[in-house]
Amino acid sequence: MASDPRPLSPHLQIYRWQLTSVLSILHRSAGLALTLGAILLVWWFAAAADGPQAYAGVQAFLGSWLGRLLLFGWSLALFYHLCNGLRHLWWDTGRGFELKTAYASGWTVVGATILLTLIAWTLGLASWRG
Amino acid sequence: MAPPRLRSPLSRAIGLGSAKEGVAHWWAQRVTALALVPLTLWLVIAVIELAGADRARLVDWVHHPLPAVLLILLLTATFYHGALGLQVVIEDYVENETLRLGLLIVMRLAAILLAVLGVFAVIKLSLGA
């Protein structure tokens, strides 16, 4: 507020990027992305319930490059939010706040997210073709 | 030495804190998160198995009671958890009070609409169609 020129704390861009803060904002972004994924899931079931024609439309879209890109983003966001959500639940028990532990759990989440996404797509693409 | 009491006896008795809503939101977010851990892992496995499936295979799968019930629980918990999360995001970033209230109402109604649509579709697929 211009009329009340009190000192402000430094803005976000002043601080150096660090794993803990990046993962924190990514958790929120992934959550937002997942609400879009949930809409996709409802669309899939609603189309199936509507009839074969609507279902074929969804399947064609999901098979397109845009559909696959959305599915890939959805799976990445899902695994990240899941793994980091478990990290949050662990924090809720009052544990894991030491700097070293917070970084170790953060990197574990990053690794687990990449691993789970790769496994899911390897199995998923095999099942898609099979 | 006991910490100084900054809250009035009435405020302490009501126990809702400065946000006037207590810890209900916090708890609901955590409990739905806990429920969603196994449900999500189950959905991922199911979606992998159903990748590229035709409608007949999907219908055949949802005909079984367990997948149908788990899907309904998943959809309910997902949109409940999602609405709680979106609520915090809106409260954090939307400064204009009128817009904030409007967005909160629209977001909640949309979450209910989508959850009911999904649950109804699963029931319809499971029992008939």
Side-chain angles (χ1 to χ4, degrees):
Chain A
M1 272 187 272
S3 57
D4 191 10
R6 291 180 297 172
L8 293 167
S9 60
H11 284 294
L12 264 180
Q13 60 266 31
I14 297 297
Y15 296 104
R16 189 161 53 87
W17 287 81
Q18 47 203 327
L19 181 75
T20 40
S21 58
V22 170
L23 293 187
S24 171
I25 192 61
L26 270 182
H27 191 70
R28 184 165 273 198
S29 317
L32 285 174
L34 285 174
T35 59
L36 298 178
I39 296 173
L40 202 67
L41 188 68
V42 167
W43 183 40
W44 192 44
F45 285 119
D50 196 44
Q53 218 178 341
Y55 186 73
V58 178
Q59 287 300 82
F61 172 73
L62 291 179
S64 70
W65 68 268
L66 181 63
R68 287 199 185 193
L69 190 68
L70 277 176
L71 280 178
F72 184 77
W74 180 67
S75 63
L76 197 64
L78 186 80
F79 286 129
Y80 176 68
H81 200 81
L82 179 68
C83 294
N84 203 49
L86 289 172
R87 185 165 168 245
H88 268 283
L89 288 171
W90 178 51
W91 280 335
D92 289 340
T93 68
R95 276 166 277 228
F97 287 114
E98 297 77 17
L99 205 52
K100 218 178 139 190
T101 320
Y103 270 86
S105 62
W107 283 118
T108 308
V109 163
V110 172
T113 303
I114 295 171
L115 194 68
L116 285 170
T117 308
L118 287 178
I119 293 173
W121 276 85
T122 308
L123 296 175
L125 285 176
S127 157
W128 205 327
R129 290 197 199 98
Chain B
M1 196 177 72
R5 287 191 181 156
L6 299 175
R7 294 166 60 188
S8 71
L10 177 63
S11 157
R12 275 166 25 88
I14 295 171
L16 292 181
S18 59
K20 318 268 188 293
E21 60 160 31
V23 291
H25 183 285
W26 190 93
W27 267 112
Q29 196 169 40
R30 265 66 185 180
V31 174
T32 47
L34 272 179
L36 282 168
V37 172
L39 286 170
T40 308
L41 288 172
W42 167 80
L43 177 80
V44 168
I45 294 167
V47 166
I48 287 172
E49 279 178 8
L50 285 167
D54 56 13
R55 188 170 171 275
R57 235 180 90 206
L58 177 67
V59 171
D60 198 47
W61 177 63
V62 183
H63 263 311
H64 295 282
L66 190 63
V69 167
L70 290 180
L71 279 175
I72 289 169
L73 290 176
L74 174 100
L75 286 164
T76 314
T78 295
F79 281 103
Y80 190 0
H81 187 83
L84 290 170
L86 286 176
Q87 180 194 334
V88 179
V89 173
I90 293 170
E91 286 170 349
D92 278 356
Y93 301 136
V94 184
E95 216 173 312
N96 182 296
E97 210 171 323
T98 313
L99 183 64
R100 184 168 65 228
L101 184 65
L103 278 176
L104 283 171
I105 292 171
V106 169
M107 180 273 292
R108 273 186 201 157
L109 291 179
I112 293 170
L113 171 75
L114 286 161
V116 172
L117 184 62
V119 168
F120 178 77
V122 169
I123 292 174
K124 187 176 177 231
L125 280 172
S126 184
L127 299 182

